[in-house]
Amino acid sequence: MNEKDEINLVDLNNSLGYFHIKINKKFLRGLLIKASNNNKPHYNKKFIDNLNMKCTKNRSACLTIYGWMKGNKTIPLNKLIKIIDLTKIDWKEVQSNIISLKAGQKRGEISPDFPIKIDRKLGSIVGHILGDGSIDYKHQQVFFSNSNKELLKEFINHMEKIFRIKPRIWMQKKPDFGNTKWDRKLSDIEELIEGRNCGLFYPSACGLILNDIFRNFAIGRDKKITDEILKTNREFKRGLIRAFYDDESSIGKTNGNIRLFQDRKEMLERARRYVSKFTW
């Protein structure tokens, strides 16, 4: 990524197999008819074969395509891309008709406003994930934990603006000899008891998109400043640096020096390079 200013849905090459799209029914019906050159695309054998799909046993129709037309089924992104290639319709028009997407056919719908801007808000999200956050290794769910309400609100607001999704909020119990457990789910961040840690949880689709854009910068405990992050634009860098240092640094009381705390040497070195190349 060479200082791109935005990411379109079709740019998410590494996640195509995961995403299922909910799209305006009338618009999708028109796409299917145009791509198949048939008012009943679910009966068009050539079109069905082009999408690498099959007719239902003992029938001459593909019921999955029929389900797309009726709005009863979400459409996999890799199938949508093939349909768009057949119609030559501009992706900007397609994106304006997308209602939501999710990872697979499970719950966890998000409604990102494509194209996603590579801006300060996105940089802040990535910075917080590199700091006190993570993207789950198995399920790709985004997680951010902190006791500072302002930082938690910042993360919530940025995620909502980019992905149009609110988090599940859980408050931890008081630490017991270094061990912590979840106390209860909160309906609002204002319910957080002072001094307690709070966890924000987001669906897999968010993690898949972020790791696709920035090439697996956070997989479980393995977090790194990738080459794609190093190549980002100025505004993104501003957001990332501020969020990362908010989570991972302190200011000396006597000399005012900023100290960055991090147990991964490579992360520290890349963070130093990231900051040294940036002119405020």
Side-chain angles (χ1 to χ4, degrees):
M1 182 169 62
N2 296 311
E3 291 206 14
K4 279 188 177 182
D5 291 323
E6 59 186 34
I7 298 291
N8 290 288
L9 180 60
V10 73
D11 294 327
L12 302 176
N13 297 318
N14 296 322
S15 300
L16 298 185
Y18 292 100
F19 292 133
H20 277 242
I21 311 298
K22 186 176 182 180
I23 194 166
N24 180 286
K25 184 170 69 173
K26 183 178 179 181
F27 179 77
L28 180 57
R29 179 183 173 85
L31 279 181
L32 292 167
I33 290 172
K34 185 173 182 179
S36 64
N37 197 27
N38 192 312
N39 284 328
K40 295 183 177 181
H42 51 296
Y43 279 107
N44 187 319
K45 185 67 166 58
K46 183 178 179 181
F47 179 60
I48 294 168
D49 290 342
N50 279 341
L51 294 181
N52 296 319
M53 300 181 73
K54 296 180 180 180
C55 294
T56 304
K57 191 175 182 180
N58 300 324
R59 290 173 179 258
S60 58
C62 178
L63 294 187
T64 299
I65 294 176
Y66 183 72
W68 295 345
M69 292 187 69
K70 291 295 184 180
N72 299 329
K73 290 180 177 288
T74 55
I75 179 168
L77 178 55
N78 53 3
K79 302 297 184 187
L80 181 60
I81 288 173
K82 287 185 178 182
I83 293 166
I84 302 306
D85 286 343
L86 291 171
T87 61
K88 307 300 181 185
I89 287 178
D90 193 294
W91 266 97
K92 289 183 179 178
E93 185 178 355
V94 179
Q95 289 176 169
S96 67
N97 281 279
I98 289 175
I99 298 169
S100 64
L101 62 85
K102 55 186 177 180
Q105 300 186 50
K106 301 176 183 178
R107 293 179 298 173
E109 286 183 291
I110 64 174
S111 302
D113 188 13
F114 286 104
I116 294 174
K117 302 290 189 298
I118 307 298
D119 60 9
R120 194 180 302 196
K121 293 189 290 293
L122 188 61
S124 177
I125 289 170
V126 171
H128 280 309
I129 291 172
L130 287 170
D132 287 334
S134 66
I135 296 178
D136 179 69
Y137 173 79
K138 184 177 181 180
H139 301 291
Q140 292 286 308
Q141 294 174 334
V142 173
F143 171 73
F144 178 61
S145 178
N146 212 290
S147 60
N148 185 310
K149 282 186 181 180
E150 294 308 310
L151 295 181
L152 290 164
K153 287 177 183 177
E154 177 180 87
F155 195 84
I156 290 170
N157 290 337
H158 291 338
M159 286 292 288
E160 188 167 358
K161 288 200 173 170
I162 293 173
F163 295 107
R164 295 182 186 172
I165 185 75
K166 292 182 182 293
R168 289 179 291 115
I169 307 171
W170 283 83
M171 180 174 65
Q172 288 185 338
K173 293 182 178 180
K174 288 183 178 180
D176 181 18
F177 298 104
N179 297 317
T180 55
K181 295 181 179 180
W182 298 114
D183 187 348
R184 63 178 185 272
K185 188 176 181 180
L186 307 181
S187 59
D188 190 273
I189 204 68
E190 293 299 338
E191 297 175 11
L192 179 64
I193 298 172
E194 188 174 349
R196 295 278 194 97
N197 239 41
C198 180
L200 307 176
F201 295 84
Y202 292 88
S204 303
C206 298
L208 284 166
I209 289 174
L210 290 169
N211 262 333
D212 195 318
I213 297 172
F214 302 110
R215 296 302 179 264
N216 296 326
F217 77 103
I219 301 179
R221 294 182 179 180
D222 182 17
K223 297 186 286 187
K224 54 193 173 184
I225 297 176
T226 60
D227 289 340
E228 285 69 28
I229 291 175
L230 288 174
K231 295 173 185 175
T232 49
N233 60 46
R234 179 185 180 86
E235 284 304 299
F236 180 93
K237 286 182 170 74
R238 281 182 182 272
L240 186 149
I241 291 169
R242 177 175 177 179
F244 185 62
Y245 274 72
D246 277 344
D247 290 351
E248 300 288 276
S249 69
S250 66
I251 300 175
K253 292 182 180 179
T254 55
N255 55 23
N257 290 337
I258 297 176
R259 298 180 64 188
L260 182 64
F261 300 92
Q262 181 60 239
D263 58 4
R264 293 180 291 278
K265 185 178 179 181
E266 183 183 357
M267 176 82 86
L268 280 173
E269 176 57 27
R270 287 226 155 189
R272 185 192 65 78
R273 284 176 54 195
Y274 200 65
V275 174
S276 66
K277 288 184 177 182
F278 185 75
T279 303
W280 294 88

